[in-house]
Amino acid sequence: MLEVVGQPSLDALTDAIVPADIRTRAPLPLPEGEPEHVYLERVRALAARNQLWRSYIGLGYYGTVTPPVIQRMVFENPGWYTPYTPYQSEIAQGRLESLLNFQTLVSDLCSMEVANASLLDEATAAAEAIGLMLRVRRVTTEPVVVVAESVYPHVRAVIETRMRSLGVRLVVGDAFTMDLPEGLAGVYVQTPDDHGRLLDLRDLAERVHQAGGLLGVGTDLLALTLVAPPGEMGADVVVGSAQRFGVPMGYGGPHAAFFATRQSYVRQMPGRLIGVSVDARGRRAYRMAIQTREQHIRREKATSNICTAQALLANMAAFYAVYHGPDGLRTIATRLHDQTVRLAEAAVALGWRQTNDVFFDTVRLEGTPDRVERVRHAAETLQMNFRYPAPGVVQISLDETVGESDLADVVRALAAPGAAAVPAPAGSRTRIPEALARQSSFLTHPVFNAHHSETEMMRYIRQLERKDLGLDAAMIPLGSCTMKLNAAAEMMPVSWPEFARLHPFVPAGQAAGYHQIFEDLSSALSAITGLPAVSLQPNSGAQGELAGLLVIRAYHESRGEGHRDVALIPQSAHGTNPASAAMAGLRVVIVRCDEQGNVDVDDLRRLAAAHRDRLACLMVTYPSTHGVFESRIREICAVVHEHGGQVYMDGANMNAQVGVTSPAAIGADVCHLNLHKTFAIPHGGGGPGMGPIAAAAHLAPFLPGHPLVQTGGAQAIGPVAAAPWGSASILLISYGYIRMLGARGLRLATDVAMLNANYIRARLEPHFPVLYTGPNGLVAHELIFDLRPIKAQTGIDESDVAKRLMDYGFHAPTVSFPVPGTLMVEPTESEPLEEIDRFCEAMIAIRHEIDAVARGELPRDDNPLKRAPHPAEDVAASDWARAYSREQAAYPVESLRATKYWPPVARIDNPYGDRNLVCTCPPIEDYAG
């Protein structure tokens, strides 16, 4: 490979790529790598330090039973956790169908017209709900949002963090009794609320609508199987967490949040929306709908900066609903509610005051502070965690995992020593009055009523899996997305009970193993970035961007410079940057790039001087999204510092930095790290992700805090995620990646990633022009092929090449980003030479097909590229009226005869899907048809 690239060694190649003034040669101050079996023994010992008590704390996190068929075939299956976000719909039909099931589940239970394909967590979903209210209402004066004081404290805290930077006035109080203020954009409430009370929303909804606002509601999907849904009580947007639908608590995540709203607001909805369309042959096909909302297209005008949803976890929740069906879900909810009623009756018989008149799974008991302390001691003796929200109050939230012996232990803890305390026998008790009981049906679609045995479920999951293309089948050469190996040894501990079943708000002493991992991982990320302070809280790269920008704003405010609100962002920056800046309340000013793709330093100097009194920061991606190390990066950072700004480095391309340079070396003050890219957390078909931030010492005091758990800096900004350490369980994956590779392995991974990219460049540059290279004609870890000249000559564009690659068994590279009309390729260090050569040979064969069109041997509108991909059904059809053979369509290279991935559908008609927007499972009549 080095011979093809024209370099004598890996060191020489890296020296030729990385500018000398930022090149670091000292080994990373990290331990050497350890074998997989040694690492797993280490993690077993750490797992044993976590104490797996029974937690009845609630607050949106509950014990759940993951059906083994779902745990093994989805959660622990690389066929489900290694695919990428379903931008290329034709090879993502399985995930898309399952996500449509998730949307249908949410729409039905909430009784709303449309739901998206998940958000990051309940707290960020609540903040996004308020964002929708603000966009719909467009209040001309200072907008006001009322947030009920009975909303979960961590949810309210994230809302406050997000709204503060946007200049929105929040009024916190009793939303049901207060006079609604002028300029109302909306009201956000929760049911069941922080006390566990179920609330009738009808009168409130009417008052809010009369005042011109919208009503947002946080709720619980399992409760809605028994309780009247918010949509039937006047809600305009409904959010919450789908965690208790079979997704382990994992000390805070990852879990799929849900977001549902009215059809009329669909274009204001954040995140991703799965819709139904047709393919080129008129067959039903699924796709991501209304993609103009995506932040990399709309930039600072995007409705959200969320680029990481929770697809894997949304699919788990969807399969949980498919497996149990409506009757099974009602059975689980009815049993749980009956246990809670029996608990309430037993508590009252023991002399407690139970304050929740109407509830689903939570009792709130009042007594003397001394009595509550006795309960705490008794519960701890029995290894149970209750919630103690105020002196003299104990709150207990039951869940699906509670057995009769567990319920007896809960009642025993509430009793005075020596007192007889036995709950009544199981029955069908209810405290849900008729006015609040659900009357409407839900999940009537065939998919939720056909797979209730393990045999049926196993086959349904596998049927969907076979329609998709993940890393378990082929290289995914997406630029800027770093689709590397998610090693089995890294993944295994995530589902161990000691990590999976921990509630995020247990006392810290019960999570000692987790906290040791947090400490070790933070220390390693600090060593890698050269920045001393780390926050593990942001649960996506986009949330890391927002957190870093809010930290910068807090720093300026602490110095009396809160007026600094200008963010300079180069044209080459990562796509979410402008959207994140807008969400942080910053004004985006774009810096030009030159013809080589580098930041125009003269333009930067001009803009920095023009805005010197208001300059907050520069957001820069390094290496740039153009795939090169800019040689003047230190000068760029110095210009910003000179004019009073801070430098935010987007860590999307850290895979080219680890061990050879660092954010500190280039002059950055804060950066985020995409753990789902550089540090091996799998993309999960579109999420989960994690985006911790690393910061210089002067920014450390402002790292995000949390209202329920001590974390963050001394002058912490508010939380940006619901849980204190974000999606804590998947931090294990990055911890494993770093421990098993060690100092030398991490450096070698960087070198090999750049070798692989330059090998592809050397092999394919004669066939496809490379748009940007560094001074030595080399690229960093990714490269951009310019297809615009080809389109001008033949009409073949980047999308045609992307679709044709599916016939060769590959996921497409990144299409038209960051430059329209291009393909961006990133091979990562994980791919062997054989697979890289297979990709190169596929691209060369495609070039020959393009040349055949250019020579007139194939028509411009009837050739293997324009009509790709080719499903087996089309190739086997009797009516093959095309200008090329079936063999050329299906087997353009010999190697495909041995192993062939067949795309399940032909090219999808995107405009049809947007004109005929359907975002829930098709009705029964369509299945019959």
Side-chain angles (χ1 to χ4, degrees), residues 188-245:
Y188 184 83
V189 300
Q190 190 136 14
T191 178
D193 70 0
D194 184 44
H195 289 193
R197 298 172 296 196
L198 288 169
L199 306 174
D200 191 325
L201 306 174
R202 295 175 180 93
D203 291 343
L204 175 63
E206 186 175 345
R207 286 202 305 122
V208 171
H209 293 152
Q210 286 175 351
L214 303 184
L215 178 61
V217 179
T219 192
D220 181 302
L221 289 181
L222 191 60
L224 296 185
T225 64
L226 305 181
V227 178
E232 293 177 9
M233 293 193 280
D236 299 291
V237 56
V238 183
V239 303
S241 171
Q243 178 267 314
R244 69 190 314 173
F245 273 41

Side-chain angles (χ1 to χ4, degrees), residues 807-809 838 890-901:
D807 291 324
Y808 287 80
R838 191 171 77 87
Y891 298 114
V893 292
E894 192 64 27
S895 60
L896 291 170
R897 296 181 187 277
T899 305
K900 170 73 176 175
Y901 166 80

Side-chain angles (χ1 to χ4, degrees), residues 573-823:
H574 200 245
T576 52
N577 290 176
S580 295
M583 289 180 63
L586 295 168
R587 292 189 295 126
V588 174
V589 175
I590 301 297
V591 182
R592 290 197 301 262
C593 290
D594 62 24
E595 291 181 359
Q596 286 74 45
N598 298 313
V599 172
D600 184 330
V601 180
D602 291 338
D603 192 46
L604 174 72
R605 286 188 181 279
R606 179 182 65 81
L607 292 171
H611 297 284
R612 70 171 303 134
D613 294 332
R614 301 192 71 92
L615 179 59
C617 65
L618 167 76
M619 297 186 78
V620 62
T621 305
Y622 200 74
S624 79
T625 311
H626 292 160
V628 295
F629 281 94
E630 300 186 44
S631 60
R632 299 175 70 182
I633 187 63
R634 292 187 70 170
E635 181 184 353
I636 288 167
C637 294
V639 168
V640 175
H641 290 144
E642 214 175 281
H643 293 84
Q646 297 285 288
V647 174
Y648 178 93
M649 195 204 83
D650 184 310
N653 294 336
M654 273 297 294
N655 213 44
Q657 282 201 40
V658 178
V660 301
T661 186
S662 70
I666 73 167
D669 300 288
V670 60
C671 71
H672 83 267
L673 301 167
N674 295 95
L675 299 190
H676 51 286
K677 295 183 181 182
T678 306
F679 297 96
I681 291 176
H683 282 66
M690 280 290 278
I693 57 173
H698 64 280
L699 298 180
F702 309 101
L703 293 179
H706 195 277
L708 298 177
V709 177
Q710 179 61 46
T711 187
Q715 298 169 261
I717 63 169
V720 296
W725 292 278
S727 296
S729 68
I730 57 174
L731 292 173
L732 288 160
I733 301 166
S734 299
Y735 175 70
Y737 175 84
I738 292 169
R739 291 300 311 223
M740 285 186 278
L741 279 179
R744 281 184 295 177
L746 289 167
R747 161 66 197 278
L748 181 61
T750 305
D751 289 339
V752 172
M754 292 194 285
L755 172 65
N756 288 352
N758 280 283
Y759 179 82
I760 289 175
R761 175 198 56 76
R763 283 209 62 189
L764 294 185
E765 198 164 21
H767 307 280
F768 297 93
V770 175
L771 189 56
Y772 301 116
T773 61
N776 296 313
L778 300 170
V779 296
H781 65 307
E782 62 188 7
L783 64 158
I784 299 173
F785 292 116
D786 189 356
L787 272 70
R788 291 172 295 184
I790 291 172
K791 181 179 180 181
Q793 183 187 13
T794 66
I796 302 294
D797 63 22
E798 68 283 359
S799 292
D800 300 323
V801 175
K803 303 306 180 189
R804 183 57 171 152
L805 272 168
M806 297 174 188
D807 291 324
Y808 287 80
F810 285 104
H811 194 292
T814 303
V815 175
S816 285
F817 177 79
V819 180
T822 65
L823 293 175

Side-chain angles (χ1 to χ4, degrees), residues 291-578:
Q291 292 190 47
T292 51
R293 283 192 328 280
E294 286 292 323
Q295 69 289 325
H296 66 275
I297 299 170
R298 297 198 66 194
R299 297 173 71 84
E300 69 271 19
K301 295 182 175 63
T303 56
S304 169
N305 75 333
I306 289 181
C307 61
T308 306
Q310 301 284 19
L312 178 66
L313 299 314
N315 284 327
M316 287 182 67
F319 283 129
Y320 180 94
V322 167
Y323 190 46
H324 288 295
D327 293 340
L329 293 177
R330 265 191 298 260
T331 298
I332 293 168
T334 300
R335 175 178 172 273
L336 170 55
H337 181 59
D338 172 72
Q339 288 179 322
T340 312
V341 173
R342 291 155 60 205
L343 171 59
E345 291 171 350
V348 170
L350 290 168
W352 290 92
R353 180 169 174 258
Q354 205 288 110
T355 63
N356 289 341
D357 294 329
V358 183
F359 55 82
F360 170 59
D361 62 6
T362 299
V363 296
R364 184 179 173 93
L365 307 175
E366 293 185 355
T368 65
D370 287 346
R371 189 177 188 189
V372 169
E373 280 306 307
R374 284 198 297 273
V375 168
R376 187 197 296 264
H377 177 73
E380 289 174 353
T381 300
L382 293 166
Q383 294 196 329
M384 294 187 297
N385 294 310
F386 300 156
R387 185 181 172 209
Y388 307 94
V393 178
V394 58
Q395 203 162 300
I396 303 168
S397 298
L398 302 184
D399 59 50
E400 178 192 7
T401 68
V402 175
E404 289 302 305
S405 62
D406 298 314
L407 184 61
D409 282 348
V410 173
V411 173
R412 188 178 306 122
L414 295 174
V422 180
S428 298
R429 293 164 180 78
T430 182
R431 285 287 181 87
I432 302 172
E434 188 174 350
L436 270 182
R438 185 174 192 122
Q439 306 299 329
S440 55
S441 59
F442 58 92
L443 303 187
T444 59
H445 313 276
V447 70
F448 296 105
N449 294 277
H451 307 290
H452 303 327
S453 74
E454 182 166 325
T455 301
E456 293 164 319
M457 194 67 194
M458 172 181 66
R459 289 173 180 161
Y460 179 58
I461 293 171
R462 187 69 81 197
Q463 171 198 335
L464 297 189
E465 180 190 338
R466 288 184 180 124
K467 295 180 179 181
D468 285 14
L469 188 67
L471 277 172
D472 60 324
M475 170 182 169
I476 300 180
L478 286 151
S480 197
C481 294
T482 316
M483 300 294 293
K484 63 171 65 182
L485 172 71
N486 315 118
E490 296 160 5
M491 300 296 298
M492 287 167 60
V494 176
S495 54
W496 292 352
E498 297 88 345
F499 293 116
R501 287 169 47 192
L502 225 59
H503 193 287
F505 302 140
V506 300
Q510 293 177 28
Y514 259 121
H515 285 272
Q516 184 63 59
I517 288 167
F518 297 160
E519 183 180 330
D520 292 349
L521 180 58
S522 295
S523 176
L525 296 179
S526 177
I528 288 165
T529 60
L531 298 169
V534 172
S535 169
L536 299 174
Q537 187 179 110
N539 54 358
S540 82
Q543 294 298 87
E545 291 176 19
L546 179 62
L549 294 174
L550 294 179
V551 163
I552 287 173
R553 296 215 70 179
Y555 167 74
H556 287 314
E557 287 167 10
S558 75
R559 293 158 53 87
E561 296 186 324
H563 57 277
R564 290 186 173 271
D565 64 352
V566 170
L568 300 180
I569 303 181
Q571 290 172 324
S572 61
H574 200 245
T576 52
N577 290 176

